[in-house]
Amino acid sequence: MNIRQLFGRAFVRGAIQDDTLITIGGDSIIDVSQTNDVPAAAERTRCLVVPGFIDVHVHGGDGADFMDGSEEQNALILAFHAKHGTTALCATTLSGSVSDIRNAVGAISTTESKGAEVVGIHLEGPYINRQRAGAQDTASIRPADIQELTALLALAPHLRWMMTVAPELDGARALIEHFRDRVLFSIGHTAAGYSEAVAALEWGARHFTHLFNAMTGMHHREPGVVGAAFVSDATAELIADGIHVHPVMLRIAATAMPHRIALVTDAMRACGLADGEYKLYGSDVRVAEGAARLADGTLAGSVLTMGDAVKNMVELADVPIEMVLPLASEVPARVIGVADRKGRIAHNEDADLVLLTDRLEIDRVIVRGADA
Protein backbone atom coordinates (compact mmCIF):
# COMPACT_ATOMS: atom_id res chain seq x y z
CA MET A 1 0.00 0.00 0.00
CA ASN A 2 1.33 3.43 -0.95
CA ILE A 3 1.43 5.82 2.00
CA ARG A 4 1.45 9.59 1.61
CA GLN A 5 1.02 12.29 4.22
CA LEU A 6 -0.07 15.93 4.13
CA PHE A 7 0.61 18.34 6.98
CA GLY A 8 -0.90 21.78 7.48
CA ARG A 9 -4.26 23.47 8.03
CA ALA A 10 -7.31 21.32 7.36
CA PHE A 11 -11.09 21.46 7.66
CA VAL A 12 -11.87 18.66 10.11
CA ARG A 13 -15.04 18.04 12.14
CA GLY A 14 -16.57 21.34 11.07
CA ALA A 15 -13.62 23.57 11.92
CA ILE A 16 -10.31 24.68 10.45
CA GLN A 17 -7.47 23.35 12.55
CA ASP A 18 -3.72 23.87 12.36
CA ASP A 19 -0.97 21.25 12.54
CA THR A 20 -3.08 18.51 11.00
CA LEU A 21 -1.41 15.36 9.69
CA ILE A 22 -3.49 13.48 7.13
CA THR A 23 -2.24 9.99 6.31
CA ILE A 24 -3.44 8.41 3.08
CA GLY A 25 -3.11 4.70 2.42
CA GLY A 26 -4.00 3.72 -1.15
CA ASP A 27 -7.33 5.39 -1.93
CA SER A 28 -8.44 5.96 1.68
CA ILE A 29 -7.62 8.20 4.63
CA ILE A 30 -6.18 5.98 7.34
CA ASP A 31 -5.44 8.60 10.00
CA VAL A 32 -6.12 12.25 10.85
CA SER A 33 -4.39 13.81 13.85
CA GLN A 34 -3.05 17.05 15.26
CA THR A 35 0.65 16.82 16.03
CA ASN A 36 3.92 18.72 16.22
CA ASP A 37 5.85 15.53 15.45
CA VAL A 38 5.85 15.70 11.65
CA PRO A 39 7.34 12.75 9.74
CA ALA A 40 10.22 13.72 7.48
CA ALA A 41 8.44 12.30 4.43
CA ALA A 42 5.22 14.26 5.01
CA GLU A 43 4.37 17.00 2.53
CA ARG A 44 4.03 20.34 4.28
CA THR A 45 1.49 22.59 2.61
CA ARG A 46 0.52 26.21 3.09
CA CYS A 47 -2.85 25.49 1.54
CA LEU A 48 -6.06 24.74 3.37
CA VAL A 49 -6.90 21.05 2.92
CA VAL A 50 -10.66 20.47 2.58
CA PRO A 51 -12.90 17.53 1.63
CA GLY A 52 -13.36 16.91 -2.09
CA PHE A 53 -16.37 18.63 -3.60
CA ILE A 54 -19.41 16.59 -4.69
CA ASP A 55 -21.65 17.90 -7.48
CA VAL A 56 -25.04 16.19 -7.73
CA HIS A 57 -26.15 18.23 -10.76
CA VAL A 58 -23.69 18.58 -13.64
CA HIS A 59 -24.37 18.13 -17.37
CA GLY A 60 -20.96 18.63 -18.92
CA GLY A 61 -17.80 20.62 -19.42
CA ASP A 62 -14.72 20.95 -21.64
CA GLY A 63 -16.89 20.69 -24.75
CA ALA A 64 -18.70 17.50 -23.75
CA ASP A 65 -22.17 16.67 -22.40
CA PHE A 66 -23.44 13.50 -20.76
CA MET A 67 -26.32 13.54 -23.27
CA ASP A 68 -23.73 12.89 -26.01
CA GLY A 69 -23.94 9.23 -24.98
CA SER A 70 -20.20 8.72 -25.36
CA GLU A 71 -17.72 7.22 -22.91
CA GLU A 72 -14.97 9.30 -24.50
CA GLN A 73 -16.93 12.52 -24.02
CA ASN A 74 -17.84 11.52 -20.47
CA ALA A 75 -14.16 11.03 -19.67
CA LEU A 76 -13.48 14.64 -20.71
CA ILE A 77 -16.13 15.88 -18.28
CA LEU A 78 -14.77 13.83 -15.38
CA ALA A 79 -11.18 14.94 -15.97
CA PHE A 80 -12.15 18.60 -16.35
CA HIS A 81 -14.27 18.89 -13.21
CA ALA A 82 -11.70 16.98 -11.14
CA LYS A 83 -9.20 19.74 -11.92
CA HIS A 84 -11.67 22.24 -10.49
CA GLY A 85 -12.33 20.55 -7.17
CA THR A 86 -15.06 18.02 -7.97
CA THR A 87 -14.01 14.58 -6.75
CA ALA A 88 -17.42 12.90 -7.16
CA LEU A 89 -20.55 13.73 -9.14
CA CYS A 90 -23.93 12.70 -10.43
CA ALA A 91 -23.87 12.60 -14.22
CA THR A 92 -26.96 14.56 -15.22
CA THR A 93 -29.19 14.10 -18.24
CA LEU A 94 -31.89 16.32 -19.74
CA SER A 95 -35.34 15.82 -21.19
CA GLY A 96 -34.75 13.96 -24.43
CA SER A 97 -36.14 11.15 -26.52
CA VAL A 98 -36.47 7.70 -24.96
CA SER A 99 -33.54 6.44 -27.02
CA ASP A 100 -31.28 9.44 -26.32
CA ILE A 101 -31.75 9.22 -22.56
CA ARG A 102 -31.24 5.48 -22.69
CA ASN A 103 -28.01 5.89 -24.69
CA ALA A 104 -26.77 8.54 -22.28
CA VAL A 105 -27.46 6.36 -19.24
CA GLY A 106 -25.82 3.37 -20.92
CA ALA A 107 -22.64 5.33 -21.62
CA ILE A 108 -22.57 6.77 -18.09
CA SER A 109 -22.94 3.31 -16.57
CA THR A 110 -19.88 1.97 -18.43
CA THR A 111 -17.61 5.03 -18.24
CA GLU A 112 -14.50 4.42 -16.17
CA SER A 113 -14.31 6.90 -13.30
CA LYS A 114 -10.97 8.51 -14.01
CA GLY A 115 -10.95 11.99 -12.58
CA ALA A 116 -14.14 12.73 -10.70
CA GLU A 117 -15.92 9.55 -9.61
CA VAL A 118 -19.41 8.98 -10.99
CA VAL A 119 -21.43 8.03 -7.91
CA GLY A 120 -24.88 8.51 -9.37
CA ILE A 121 -27.11 9.49 -12.26
CA HIS A 122 -29.41 12.48 -12.06
CA LEU A 123 -32.30 12.41 -14.53
CA GLU A 124 -33.39 16.04 -14.83
CA GLY A 125 -36.61 15.31 -16.64
CA PRO A 126 -38.34 14.32 -18.86
CA TYR A 127 -41.23 14.33 -16.37
CA ILE A 128 -41.29 18.08 -15.81
CA ASN A 129 -43.65 20.99 -16.50
CA ARG A 130 -43.40 22.62 -19.93
CA GLN A 131 -44.27 25.98 -18.37
CA ARG A 132 -41.12 25.75 -16.23
CA ALA A 133 -38.90 23.88 -18.66
CA GLY A 134 -36.16 26.51 -18.73
CA ALA A 135 -33.77 25.54 -21.53
CA GLN A 136 -34.99 21.95 -21.73
CA ASP A 137 -36.49 20.51 -24.91
CA THR A 138 -40.25 20.93 -24.49
CA ALA A 139 -40.99 18.40 -27.24
CA SER A 140 -39.34 15.70 -25.11
CA ILE A 141 -41.36 16.39 -21.96
CA ARG A 142 -43.91 13.66 -21.22
CA PRO A 143 -46.09 12.18 -18.46
CA ALA A 144 -44.39 10.11 -15.79
CA ASP A 145 -43.82 6.54 -16.97
CA ILE A 146 -43.02 3.75 -14.51
CA GLN A 147 -41.99 1.36 -17.29
CA GLU A 148 -39.53 3.82 -18.83
CA LEU A 149 -37.85 4.48 -15.49
CA THR A 150 -37.72 0.76 -14.70
CA ALA A 151 -35.82 0.14 -17.93
CA LEU A 152 -33.36 2.98 -17.20
CA LEU A 153 -32.64 1.75 -13.67
CA ALA A 154 -31.74 -1.66 -15.05
CA LEU A 155 -28.94 -0.11 -17.11
CA ALA A 156 -26.95 1.05 -14.09
CA PRO A 157 -27.89 -0.91 -10.97
CA HIS A 158 -24.50 -0.16 -9.40
CA LEU A 159 -25.10 3.60 -9.31
CA ARG A 160 -27.32 5.75 -7.13
CA TRP A 161 -30.25 7.48 -8.79
CA MET A 162 -31.84 10.88 -8.53
CA MET A 163 -34.68 12.28 -10.62
CA THR A 164 -36.16 15.76 -11.00
CA VAL A 165 -39.95 15.60 -11.28
CA ALA A 166 -42.77 18.13 -11.40
CA PRO A 167 -45.26 16.72 -8.87
CA GLU A 168 -48.30 18.18 -10.63
CA LEU A 169 -47.78 16.01 -13.72
CA ASP A 170 -49.96 13.03 -14.53
CA GLY A 171 -48.46 9.91 -13.01
CA ALA A 172 -45.99 11.74 -10.74
CA ARG A 173 -47.47 10.47 -7.48
CA ALA A 174 -47.53 6.85 -8.65
CA LEU A 175 -43.96 7.16 -9.90
CA ILE A 176 -42.64 8.62 -6.65
CA GLU A 177 -44.47 6.14 -4.45
CA HIS A 178 -43.35 3.21 -6.61
CA PHE A 179 -39.62 4.09 -6.66
CA ARG A 180 -39.19 6.09 -3.45
CA ASP A 181 -36.87 3.46 -1.95
CA ARG A 182 -34.73 3.22 -5.09
CA VAL A 183 -34.64 6.79 -6.44
CA LEU A 184 -34.10 10.15 -4.75
CA PHE A 185 -36.92 12.26 -6.15
CA SER A 186 -36.30 15.98 -6.42
CA ILE A 187 -38.99 18.61 -6.94
CA GLY A 188 -38.10 20.92 -9.79
CA HIS A 189 -39.02 22.47 -13.14
CA THR A 190 -42.47 22.79 -11.65
CA ALA A 191 -45.44 25.13 -11.55
CA ALA A 192 -46.75 23.49 -8.37
CA GLY A 193 -47.94 25.55 -5.45
CA TYR A 194 -46.99 25.15 -1.82
CA SER A 195 -49.59 22.50 -1.02
CA GLU A 196 -48.65 20.40 -4.05
CA ALA A 197 -44.98 20.52 -3.08
CA VAL A 198 -45.81 19.47 0.48
CA ALA A 199 -47.89 16.59 -0.91
CA ALA A 200 -44.94 15.46 -3.04
CA LEU A 201 -42.75 15.37 0.08
CA GLU A 202 -45.39 13.19 1.74
CA TRP A 203 -45.31 10.83 -1.27
CA GLY A 204 -41.56 10.43 -0.87
CA ALA A 205 -39.72 13.30 -2.60
CA ARG A 206 -36.76 14.45 -0.47
CA HIS A 207 -34.91 17.11 -2.45
CA PHE A 208 -35.39 20.32 -4.50
CA THR A 209 -33.62 20.96 -7.81
CA HIS A 210 -31.76 24.30 -8.10
CA LEU A 211 -33.72 26.18 -5.45
CA PHE A 212 -35.44 29.37 -6.70
CA ASN A 213 -34.89 28.49 -10.38
CA ALA A 214 -37.68 26.98 -12.53
CA MET A 215 -40.15 26.78 -9.65
CA THR A 216 -42.82 28.93 -7.99
CA GLY A 217 -41.32 31.56 -5.72
CA MET A 218 -42.20 32.54 -2.18
CA HIS A 219 -44.98 35.06 -1.65
CA HIS A 220 -46.49 36.07 1.68
CA ARG A 221 -49.89 34.69 0.67
CA GLU A 222 -48.63 31.73 -1.36
CA PRO A 223 -45.32 30.27 -0.11
CA GLY A 224 -44.81 28.31 -3.34
CA VAL A 225 -42.31 25.54 -3.87
CA VAL A 226 -39.55 27.71 -2.41
CA GLY A 227 -41.55 28.12 0.80
CA ALA A 228 -42.08 24.37 1.01
CA ALA A 229 -38.33 23.85 0.73
CA PHE A 230 -37.60 26.30 3.52
CA VAL A 231 -39.97 24.76 6.06
CA SER A 232 -39.38 21.10 5.18
CA ASP A 233 -36.51 18.86 6.26
CA ALA A 234 -35.62 18.10 2.63
CA THR A 235 -32.35 19.11 1.01
CA ALA A 236 -32.05 21.59 -1.86
CA GLU A 237 -29.56 22.57 -4.54
CA LEU A 238 -28.16 26.05 -5.01
CA ILE A 239 -26.33 27.39 -8.08
CA ALA A 240 -23.86 29.90 -6.66
CA ASP A 241 -22.70 31.65 -9.81
CA GLY A 242 -24.18 35.01 -8.83
CA ILE A 243 -26.38 34.88 -11.94
CA HIS A 244 -28.99 32.20 -11.23
CA VAL A 245 -29.52 33.48 -7.68
CA HIS A 246 -28.74 36.90 -6.22
CA PRO A 247 -25.91 36.80 -3.64
CA VAL A 248 -28.26 38.00 -0.90
CA MET A 249 -30.59 35.08 -1.59
CA LEU A 250 -27.61 32.72 -1.56
CA ARG A 251 -26.79 33.96 1.94
CA ILE A 252 -30.41 33.74 3.10
CA ALA A 253 -30.72 30.13 1.89
CA ALA A 254 -27.41 29.05 3.40
CA THR A 255 -28.30 30.68 6.72
CA ALA A 256 -31.86 29.34 6.84
CA MET A 257 -30.95 25.83 5.63
CA PRO A 258 -27.33 25.37 6.82
CA HIS A 259 -27.38 21.59 6.86
CA ARG A 260 -29.69 21.13 3.86
CA ILE A 261 -28.10 23.10 1.00
CA ALA A 262 -25.99 21.30 -1.60
CA LEU A 263 -24.02 23.54 -3.91
CA VAL A 264 -24.24 22.43 -7.55
CA THR A 265 -22.91 23.74 -10.84
CA ASP A 266 -25.60 22.75 -13.38
CA ALA A 267 -22.61 23.10 -15.72
CA MET A 268 -23.09 22.56 -19.45
CA ARG A 269 -20.56 21.69 -22.16
CA ALA A 270 -19.20 25.25 -22.48
CA CYS A 271 -17.84 25.16 -18.94
CA GLY A 272 -14.11 25.81 -19.18
CA LEU A 273 -14.25 27.08 -22.76
CA ALA A 274 -14.34 30.52 -24.39
CA ASP A 275 -17.49 32.57 -24.93
CA GLY A 276 -19.40 31.57 -28.04
CA GLU A 277 -22.16 29.37 -29.43
CA TYR A 278 -22.78 25.88 -28.03
CA LYS A 279 -25.42 23.15 -28.05
CA LEU A 280 -27.51 22.01 -25.10
CA TYR A 281 -29.22 18.89 -26.43
CA GLY A 282 -31.10 20.40 -29.40
CA SER A 283 -30.93 24.03 -28.36
CA ASP A 284 -28.50 26.75 -29.41
CA VAL A 285 -26.89 28.43 -26.44
CA ARG A 286 -24.87 31.63 -26.35
CA VAL A 287 -22.23 31.94 -23.62
CA ALA A 288 -21.12 35.45 -22.73
CA GLU A 289 -19.98 37.22 -19.55
CA GLY A 290 -20.22 34.09 -17.45
CA ALA A 291 -23.80 33.20 -18.42
CA ALA A 292 -25.22 30.57 -20.81
CA ARG A 293 -28.51 31.63 -22.38
CA LEU A 294 -30.95 30.73 -25.14
CA ALA A 295 -31.71 33.37 -27.76
CA ASP A 296 -34.68 34.61 -25.68
CA GLY A 297 -32.47 35.14 -22.63
CA THR A 298 -33.48 31.98 -20.76
CA LEU A 299 -30.63 30.63 -18.65
CA ALA A 300 -29.34 27.33 -20.05
CA GLY A 301 -27.32 25.74 -17.30
CA SER A 302 -24.09 27.41 -16.24
CA VAL A 303 -20.35 27.58 -16.80
CA LEU A 304 -19.70 27.30 -13.06
CA THR A 305 -17.22 24.96 -11.40
CA MET A 306 -17.52 23.73 -7.82
CA GLY A 307 -14.32 25.53 -6.94
CA ASP A 308 -15.85 28.82 -8.06
CA ALA A 309 -19.14 28.00 -6.32
CA VAL A 310 -17.33 27.73 -2.99
CA LYS A 311 -15.37 30.92 -3.64
CA ASN A 312 -18.54 32.79 -4.65
CA MET A 313 -20.39 31.76 -1.51
CA VAL A 314 -17.62 33.31 0.56
CA GLU A 315 -16.82 36.37 -1.55
CA LEU A 316 -20.19 37.24 -3.12
CA ALA A 317 -22.64 35.90 -0.56
CA ASP A 318 -20.45 36.71 2.46
CA VAL A 319 -20.92 33.29 4.10
CA PRO A 320 -18.07 32.08 6.36
CA ILE A 321 -15.88 29.41 4.75
CA GLU A 322 -16.60 27.04 7.65
CA MET A 323 -20.31 27.19 6.73
CA VAL A 324 -19.69 26.90 3.01
CA LEU A 325 -17.41 23.84 2.87
CA PRO A 326 -20.05 21.33 4.11
CA LEU A 327 -22.42 22.61 1.41
CA ALA A 328 -19.95 21.40 -1.21
CA SER A 329 -19.01 18.13 0.48
CA GLU A 330 -20.82 16.73 3.49
CA VAL A 331 -24.36 17.75 2.49
CA PRO A 332 -24.20 16.49 -1.13
CA ALA A 333 -22.58 13.27 0.11
CA ARG A 334 -25.63 12.77 2.30
CA VAL A 335 -27.99 13.78 -0.51
CA ILE A 336 -26.77 11.06 -2.88
CA GLY A 337 -26.14 8.45 -0.20
CA VAL A 338 -22.33 8.23 -0.08
CA ALA A 339 -21.79 9.90 3.29
CA ASP A 340 -20.39 6.64 4.65
CA ARG A 341 -17.23 7.17 2.58
CA LYS A 342 -17.18 10.72 1.21
CA GLY A 343 -17.71 14.31 2.30
CA ARG A 344 -15.33 14.58 5.27
CA ILE A 345 -11.67 14.32 6.16
CA ALA A 346 -11.82 11.38 8.53
CA HIS A 347 -10.56 7.84 9.13
CA ASN A 348 -11.78 5.35 6.51
CA GLU A 349 -13.17 8.07 4.24
CA ASP A 350 -12.15 8.10 0.58
CA ALA A 351 -8.97 10.14 0.08
CA ASP A 352 -10.76 12.91 -1.83
CA LEU A 353 -9.14 16.24 -0.98
CA VAL A 354 -8.90 19.76 -2.34
CA LEU A 355 -6.05 22.12 -1.51
CA LEU A 356 -7.15 25.77 -1.46
CA THR A 357 -4.90 28.81 -1.50
CA ASP A 358 -5.44 31.79 0.80
CA ARG A 359 -7.46 33.32 -2.05
CA LEU A 360 -9.68 30.22 -2.17
CA GLU A 361 -8.30 29.16 -5.52
CA ILE A 362 -7.67 25.51 -6.39
CA ASP A 363 -4.04 24.56 -5.91
CA ARG A 364 -4.39 20.79 -6.24
CA VAL A 365 -7.03 18.08 -6.16
CA ILE A 366 -6.59 14.52 -4.90
CA VAL A 367 -9.13 11.91 -5.97
CA ARG A 368 -9.06 8.55 -4.18
CA GLY A 369 -5.45 9.12 -3.16
CA ALA A 370 -4.10 10.21 -6.56
CA ASP A 371 -3.49 13.71 -7.93
CA ALA A 372 -6.19 14.67 -10.43
Side-chain angles (χ1 to χ4, degrees):
M1 178 190 299
N2 286 334
I3 300 292
R4 64 187 296 191
Q5 293 178 305
L6 290 173
F7 179 77
R9 290 188 308 142
F11 183 71
V12 180
R13 292 185 294 276
I16 295 173
Q17 63 180 36
D18 295 325
D19 303 324
T20 303
L21 182 65
I22 302 169
T23 302
I24 299 169
D27 60 5
S28 300
I29 297 171
I30 59 176
D31 189 60
V32 181
S33 61
Q34 276 188 293
T35 181
N36 291 318
D37 184 16
V38 186
E43 176 190 342
R44 294 173 180 263
T45 178
R46 294 183 178 181
C47 292
L48 173 63
V49 185
V50 305
F53 305 146
I54 301 170
D55 189 354
V56 298
H57 188 157
V58 52
H59 296 279
D62 199 24
D65 190 297
F66 287 116
M67 284 297 288
D68 294 340
S70 161
E71 291 183 26
E72 182 179 358
Q73 295 294 90
N74 293 350
L76 291 176
I77 301 168
L78 302 184
F80 170 80
H81 283 287
K83 295 290 186 182
H84 293 272
T86 299
T87 56
L89 57 77
C90 287
T92 306
T93 63
L94 287 165
S95 299
S97 68
V98 172
S99 61
D100 284 348
I101 294 177
R102 186 177 180 86
N103 289 340
V105 168
I108 293 165
S109 69
T110 56
T111 297
E112 186 176 356
S113 287
K114 287 185 177 179
E117 179 183 353
V118 177
V119 294
I121 295 175
H122 179 175
L123 303 171
E124 191 185 12
Y127 313 143
I128 59 175
N129 194 311
R130 285 184 176 85
Q131 296 175 7
R132 298 281 178 154
Q136 297 216 30
D137 178 36
T138 55
S140 297
I141 294 171
R142 46 193 179 270
D145 187 328
I146 288 176
Q147 284 70 39
E148 182 181 10
L149 184 53
T150 298
L152 290 173
L153 294 177
L155 295 175
H158 59 294
L159 293 174
R160 297 183 179 275
W161 286 81
M162 179 174 168
M163 187 174 203
T164 296
V165 174
E168 69 273 22
L169 286 196
D170 290 343
R173 177 174 183 171
L175 185 85
I176 294 170
E177 291 180 337
H178 186 84
F179 290 108
R180 59 184 296 171
D181 296 329
R182 178 72 178 87
V183 177
L184 169 64
F185 284 101
S186 183
I187 299 170
H189 285 280
T190 174
Y194 172 78
S195 60
E196 290 171 299
V198 169
L201 294 171
E202 293 172 350
W203 304 336
R206 294 180 286 121
H207 190 65
F208 290 83
T209 297
H210 41 52
L211 187 66
F212 303 113
N213 301 119
M215 61 178 59
T216 52
M218 188 161 53
H219 185 273
H220 59 283
R221 285 191 291 273
E222 169 47 57
V225 172
V226 171
F230 270 78
V231 299
S232 73
D233 59 2
T235 50
E237 302 169 0
L238 206 55
I239 305 173
D241 60 356
I243 297 168
H244 279 77
V245 181
H246 191 282
V248 168
M249 297 307 294
L250 293 175
R251 184 165 70 250
I252 288 172
T255 302
M257 305 167 66
H259 307 294
R260 297 192 289 121
I261 290 292
L263 298 180
V264 298
T265 64
D266 197 12
M268 50 91 73
R269 74 170 71 245
C271 188
L273 303 181
D275 286 357
E277 302 289 337
Y278 296 90
K279 283 287 186 181
L280 182 69
Y281 195 50
S283 298
D284 293 319
V285 176
R286 173 71 182 174
V287 176
E289 299 180 348
R293 299 181 184 273
L294 301 182
D296 65 2
T298 300
L299 285 167
S302 86
V303 289
L304 182 69
T305 64
M306 284 296 285
D308 284 340
V310 168
K311 186 175 170 67
N312 289 342
M313 286 298 291
V314 176
E315 296 185 350
L316 295 182
D318 197 26
V319 180
I321 185 66
E322 294 88 350
M323 283 185 62
V324 173
L325 290 172
L327 311 185
S329 54
E330 192 170 347
V331 176
R334 179 159 42 87
V335 166
I336 202 57
V338 294
D340 59 329
R341 64 185 180 94
K342 293 185 183 293
R344 301 175 301 151
I345 299 177
H347 175 64
N348 278 344
E349 294 276 305
D350 287 352
D352 294 342
L353 304 169
V354 176
L355 279 65
L356 296 175
T357 69
D358 290 341
R359 300 180 67 177
L360 299 182
E361 295 171 345
I362 304 287
D363 179 79
R364 186 151 36 106
V365 180
I366 297 171
V367 183
R368 299 185 301 284
D371 289 342

